[in-house]
Amino acid sequence: MLIIPVKDGENIDRALKRYKRKFDRTGTLRQLRERKNFTKPSVTKRAQLQKAQYIQRLKDSFEI
């Protein structure tokens, strides 16, 4: 559970913005979406490999 202390005289919009930022940083929504659908370990591993290959290609293109 996220707790955001609201200071005296603080605008509610600012406190809400701090809450949203903290919520995004914790990754709660991302984790819920991942758990919604089961992905096989082989599919997860393949996606990680493809991402690593993509990043490596980008790094190699900058070195040239």
Side-chain angles (χ1 to χ4, degrees), residues 3-59:
I3 298 173
I4 304 294
V6 180
K7 301 168 188 165
D8 291 337
E10 184 180 15
N11 190 356
I12 192 70
D13 292 331
R14 184 172 294 242
L16 186 61
K17 188 173 184 177
R18 282 195 353 240
Y19 173 79
K20 288 180 182 179
R21 199 176 321 131
K22 193 171 186 180
F23 184 77
D24 287 340
R25 287 183 184 158
T26 58
T28 309
L29 193 58
R30 191 177 333 116
Q31 189 179 36
L32 284 174
R33 286 181 179 154
E34 285 176 5
R35 290 182 179 188
K36 189 176 180 181
N37 297 322
F38 176 76
T39 54
K40 296 186 339 184
S42 61
V43 173
T44 307
K45 215 178 292 185
R46 183 173 182 200
Q48 288 176 347
L49 183 64
Q50 287 175 338
K51 184 178 178 181
Q53 289 172 343
Y54 173 73
I55 291 172
Q56 189 63 43
R57 267 190 253 122
L58 286 177
K59 288 180 180 179

